[in-house]
Amino acid sequence: MQRQLQNLAYSADPDMSASSRHQPVLVREVINFLQPERGGVFIDGTVGVGGHSWAMLVASPHCRVIGLDRDESALRMAVERLSQFGSRFSAIHANFKELAALSEAGMIPPADGILVDLGISSHQLDDASRGFSFQQEGPLDMRMDRRQQLTAADLVNSLSEVELANLIFQYGEDPLARRLARAIVRQRQHGRIETTTQLASIILKASGGRGRWRIHPATRTFQALRIAVNDELSGLDTFVATAIRQLKPGGRFVAITFHSLEDRIIKQSLRFHAGQCQCRPPIALSGAQCPGCGAGRRVQILTRKPVVPSAAEISLNPRARSAKLRACCKLSGAEH
């Protein structure tokens, strides 16, 4: 079993159809930190098409995985792909941030491990109709959950120049945010911006035309719009607290991020729950938690620095290059 995992550490399982193939990142590291061989219940909060869940289920015949995802089409693929594991895998169409409500409803039991992979999947990027990528023409959609109304086109065509600039700068961290917002608003005067390639062309021109860049000039704007459309950062710190409460003592929490904004929230949240006071000036903890900010020793951080993909993994899966993994273990006696 371990040899099978080692051989597939950088790829999806070989039985997956080429049309839906997705390479989950840091698979070996996820298994090492979650330790599904202990058995029990594991929650894959962003199951996608099932790559990490598949690895957990293969790693141990004694574990059960509950997969959550807000993307219904991806969830259907995961259910089909993991049907070979029978009742050991179950799926819920929900955002991982709904964990508290699902637990209160009795749909999620106390867990031995929880994983969230906050990246966008190849399945989503490669489907032009979803509008996540500027590499191919599609509608400016970017909704992970198609039940919601707001799309990227709505933001691009309705926000003021100042609002657009703030969005691109805050969520895309693009120093050209004002220039790009100005170009977008100017182009809107000639009609709505409806497609990914339309928007990418406007950004490319506003950035100075074709040239040599480390990343495409439209990358940060598309990231900013995706974050805004899907409200990706809101409540992330609250979710970390919920996930820790949902863990059994000794349970493991693992988060994979792909940009600095998410990673910063995860890092600060784990430090808070490891007992690092957030007060200014900090207060030395004398009890279970800080009376000022509420920081307390609920977890032990397992990753002093974020774990990143090896050069070998990046060569096989370039989309893994920006991934960072952080993990913690819930302490015995911590709030349950």
Side-chain angles (χ1 to χ4, degrees):
M1 198 71 74
Q2 288 301 318
R3 180 179 297 177
Q4 187 178 13
L5 273 175
Q6 184 174 355
N7 292 339
L8 296 167
Y10 306 138
S11 64
D13 77 84
D15 297 325
M16 193 175 183
S17 66
S19 62
S20 57
R21 191 174 297 278
H22 167 69
Q23 293 181 309
V25 303
L26 296 165
V27 174
R28 184 185 293 126
E29 293 82 356
V30 165
I31 297 302
N32 286 341
F33 282 112
L34 284 180
Q35 299 180 343
E37 65 274 11
R38 296 176 293 138
V41 176
F42 293 79
I43 299 168
D44 188 343
T46 48
V47 69
V49 295
H52 287 115
S53 288
W54 183 89
M56 284 186 259
L57 292 162
V58 166
S60 170
H62 306 297
C63 76
R64 182 163 70 90
V65 176
I66 301 171
L68 314 179
D69 209 287
R70 64 199 300 190
D71 186 333
E72 189 173 19
S73 66
L75 198 63
R76 284 197 301 268
M77 293 172 67
V79 169
E80 180 181 356
R81 176 186 183 185
L82 302 174
S83 60
Q84 61 184 295
F85 298 103
S87 61
R88 291 179 56 212
F89 177 77
S90 57
I92 302 173
H93 184 201
N95 190 324
F96 65 86
K97 295 176 186 176
E98 299 175 64
L99 183 62
L102 293 171
S103 178
E104 290 172 8
M107 300 174 69
I108 299 287
D112 296 274
I114 298 176
L115 167 70
V116 284
D117 175 348
L118 301 177
I120 185 169
S121 74
S122 298
H123 162 69
Q124 292 165 326
L125 279 172
D126 295 339
D127 183 349
S129 71
R130 304 297 298 273
F132 287 107
S133 173
F134 50 80
Q135 302 288 357
Q136 48 191 338
E137 185 167 34
L140 268 176
D141 193 322
M142 301 194 192
R143 292 173 298 168
M144 290 185 178
D145 186 343
R146 287 180 160 175
R147 293 174 299 182
Q148 76 175 51
Q149 297 298 313
L150 183 71
T151 68
D154 294 330
L155 295 178
V156 167
N157 290 286
S158 66
L159 295 182
S160 69
E161 182 177 324
V162 171
E163 289 170 329
L164 270 174
N166 288 341
L167 185 151
I168 295 169
F169 183 76
Q170 180 181 357
Y171 293 154
E173 300 179 293
D174 195 325
L176 299 179
R178 289 183 180 178
R179 184 195 300 180
L180 301 182
R182 191 178 309 119
I184 291 169
V185 170
R186 188 183 303 122
Q187 185 61 38
R188 282 186 344 207
Q189 298 173 1
H190 305 288
R192 280 179 61 87
I193 302 168
E194 299 282 7
T195 71
T196 54
T197 50
Q198 265 184 293
L199 180 59
S201 177
I202 295 166
I203 294 170
L204 187 64
K205 185 177 180 181
S207 301
R210 298 191 178 276
R212 295 178 64 88
W213 302 283
R214 188 174 63 85
I215 60 171
H216 191 285
T219 301
R220 292 189 177 96
T221 297
F222 272 66
Q223 172 184 296
L225 288 168
R226 193 199 76 228
I227 290 173
V229 167
N230 297 290
D231 197 21
E232 294 179 23
L233 302 181
S234 172
L236 197 52
D237 53 348
T238 302
F239 163 73
V240 173
T242 300
I244 291 169
R245 283 196 301 271
Q246 193 68 25
L247 286 173
K248 298 175 184 177
R252 304 292 187 91
F253 172 71
V254 174
I256 301 173
T257 63
F258 287 82
H259 58 77
S260 61
L261 299 173
E262 289 173 336
D263 181 60
R264 192 177 304 128
I265 294 172
I266 296 294
K267 177 178 68 175
Q268 291 174 348
S269 296
L270 293 185
R271 287 179 175 177
F272 176 82
H273 293 289
Q276 186 175 104
C277 178
Q278 306 296 306
C279 299
R280 292 293 179 266
I283 301 172
L285 293 187
S286 57
Q289 67 178 33
C290 172
C293 66
R297 298 186 183 96
R298 304 174 187 101
V299 302
Q300 176 187 356
I301 295 176
L302 303 175
T303 48
R304 187 175 64 86
K305 292 183 178 180
V307 177
V308 298
S310 66
E313 178 170 3
I314 293 171
S315 69
L316 290 170
N317 181 16
R319 287 177 176 168
R321 65 185 178 276
S322 55
K324 292 181 178 179
L325 181 152
R326 295 184 187 272
C328 69
C329 176
K330 184 170 181 175
L331 298 174
S332 297
E335 178 186 359
H336 183 65

